[in-house]
Every structure is written in structure tokens, then in C-alpha cells.
Amino acid sequence: IRPGRLRHRLIPRGEREMLAFLLIAALGLLWLFVHRNGNLLGLASLTKRASLVVAFALQQLLMYVIAEATSVGHHFTTRSVVIAWAAIVLILTWALSRDLYQLGVGVVRSVRGGVVVRRARTLSVDEIIALAVMAAMFVIYVLIGWWYPPANPDSMAYHLPRAEHWIQNESVAQYATNYLAQAEYAPLLEYNLAVLRLLTGGDSFDGYIQLLAAVICVVGASELAGRLGLSRRGQMFAALFVATVPTFILEVTSTTSGIFA
């Protein structure tokens, strides 16, 4: 056990951490569902970027429902959480089977036809630099999130203890505490922390919740720029502007809730 890393000793590390991909798969499938079936949601003609933002919101709605529902009768446990998210992934996979096939065929044709290369050649030098800077930044964030556990005061005072109490109590119901921030603040970020902890058996991915939210913020900024009439170059630099806000960089792999909110 590395310093600062809590591990549940009865859980094999390598096997359980793979369960985090249930959440990634759910987000990807929701993204495809929203993009292909926006009319059913009253959101016709969404771009891929807008569909991703909406899919993230839907995933968080499911996170809330699952955490609250399994807490009834104190069933907020690894088994219940795994069953719930696995069921969502299986249902979405079945419902989107035709879309998944068409997507796979489209990707193969794009690769063989050199579509990606042709699109890359249309980028200007400054657009390539902006993309490279953002890609390099997020690679660094991934490494920081893996190497360094959250250690800021707010994380230790109420974000992480809150999730640990829920896991211990097998419920997200209120509990007695002398630090009221654990009971008063909006709980959605900690729902994600607790679910990840139940799925993986550890805290290795805690910093990636804010990192995922950061990706959504950057994508959303470029989408908003496009809807305001900016060119592709303007949209890219709007995303870069958001990605380089100092507070954004400070919080991107922490377990505080600024970027997530």
C-alpha cells in the first residue's frame, strides 16, 4: 500500500480496478444514444460535442438514482452498484446494437479512406499548436492523477470522509458529524467518489472524476463558441482558454468540486 492510498485488502487490485470501465462504457453508450436519438429527448440535430455534454448529464442523473435507490435498506454495496451499472451497459448495448455496428463500419471506412488524415491536413499551424498543447496538458493530468493522491485540506476534511462514511454505512443517508460540510454541501461529486471506490476497491481513480469533468468543460466551451458563431479556429482557442484558466489547472485532478460543478 503506497502512502496515502487506501486499499481494501480483500479485493484483488488488478481485477477490481477494471470495473471502472463500466462507467466509461456507460458514458460512451449514452453519448452514442444521445447523438443518434436526440429526437426522442427533444434535442434534435445535436452535434457530437453537444451530445457528449448531454450524455455526461444523463450519466450523472443515473449516478444519483442508483446511489439513492440502493441506499434504501442499506444496499449501497459493491454488488448492488456493479449489478446496476452492468445492467445499464447491457441494456444500452442491446438497444444500440445496430448503431454500434454502423459506427464500427464507419470507423473502418474512415481509416481505410484516409478521412482522418485529410481532415488533419486542413488544420492551420496555430490550430495544430492549440491541439498539441491541450493534448500534452491532459496527458500530464492523467499521470498526476495516478501518481499523486488527493491531499488538499477540503478533500481530507469532507469530500473523501463523506464517501467513506457512506461506504461504511452502506447508505448515502445523513450521518452524525461535527464537521457540517460533510452534511450540508451538494453530494453529487461524492456519489461518484463512493461509486468508484465500491467498483475498484481503492482510490486510484479519485482524481479522474474532476479530470473527466474538465474534458466536458473544454468540449462544452468549444461547442458554445460554435453556437455563438465563431469559426473552427475560434472554437479551438475558446477550448484552450478554458483549459488554461489557473484555477482549472489547480483543481483538475483534485477531489474538490469546482470543475465538476
Side-chain angles (χ1 to χ4, degrees):
I1 304 177
R2 286 183 286 170
R5 293 283 178 176
L6 174 64
R7 295 287 177 190
H8 300 284
R9 301 307 298 160
L10 297 178
I11 302 170
R13 176 180 174 181
E15 296 175 14
R16 285 291 300 278
E17 288 182 345
M18 295 296 292
L19 291 175
F21 288 99
L22 280 175
L23 301 179
I24 298 173
L27 178 59
L29 290 167
L30 286 169
W31 185 8
L32 179 61
F33 174 79
V34 173
H35 185 59
R36 295 292 177 90
N37 302 280
N39 291 331
L40 297 177
L41 302 172
L43 300 169
S45 303
L46 286 180
T47 65
K48 293 178 182 178
R49 292 174 298 181
S51 298
L52 177 59
V53 176
V54 174
F56 181 72
L58 289 177
Q59 185 195 41
Q60 292 307 307
L61 176 61
L62 290 171
M63 187 76 68
Y64 163 76
V65 171
I66 290 171
E68 293 286 347
T70 56
S71 293
V72 177
H74 295 272
H75 294 294
F76 186 59
T77 62
T78 296
R79 177 179 294 180
S80 298
V81 169
V82 169
I83 290 173
W85 282 105
I88 289 171
V89 169
L90 290 174
I91 291 171
L92 286 172
T93 301
W94 173 77
L96 296 169
S97 56
R98 181 176 298 179
D99 292 319
L100 287 169
Y101 173 76
Q102 293 175 350
L103 178 64
V105 172
V107 169
V108 171
R109 288 177 177 174
S110 297
V111 172
R112 289 180 177 177
V115 175
V116 176
V117 175
R118 288 198 298 272
R119 288 182 178 177
R121 288 175 178 172
T122 65
L123 297 174
S124 62
V125 174
D126 53 355
E127 289 173 340
I128 293 174
I129 292 174
L131 280 175
V133 168
M134 285 189 285
M137 289 173 67
F138 277 94
V139 168
I140 293 171
Y141 296 151
V142 169
L143 295 176
I144 290 175
W146 183 255
W147 286 336
Y148 302 103
N152 59 302
D154 280 355
S155 294
M156 297 301 175
Y158 66 93
H159 290 293
L160 296 175
R162 196 181 203 182
E164 290 299 328
H165 272 288
W166 291 340
I167 292 171
Q168 171 185 280
N169 300 338
E170 298 183 348
S171 170
V172 297
Q174 295 284 25
Y175 56 88
T177 175
N178 67 339
Y179 193 75
L180 293 182
Q182 294 184 21
E184 291 178 339
Y185 286 1
L188 189 56
L189 171 72
E190 289 79 14
Y191 283 178
N192 284 263
L193 288 172
V195 166
L196 263 180
R197 190 72 59 88
L198 288 171
L199 287 176
T200 65
D203 63 353
S204 295
F205 297 104
D206 283 0
Y208 293 156
I209 297 173
Q210 282 259 97
L211 183 57
L212 176 59
V215 173
I216 301 300
C217 288
V218 170
V219 171
S222 66
E223 173 67 13
L224 287 174
R227 289 176 179 270
L228 289 171
L230 273 70
S231 64
R232 185 181 66 183
R233 181 172 180 269
Q235 295 170 38
M236 197 167 297
F237 277 90
L240 181 62
F241 177 81
V242 171
T244 52
V245 171
T247 304
F248 186 96
I249 296 173
L250 179 66
E251 289 194 14
V252 71
T253 58
S254 74
T255 52
T256 53
S257 56
I259 298 175
F260 185 85

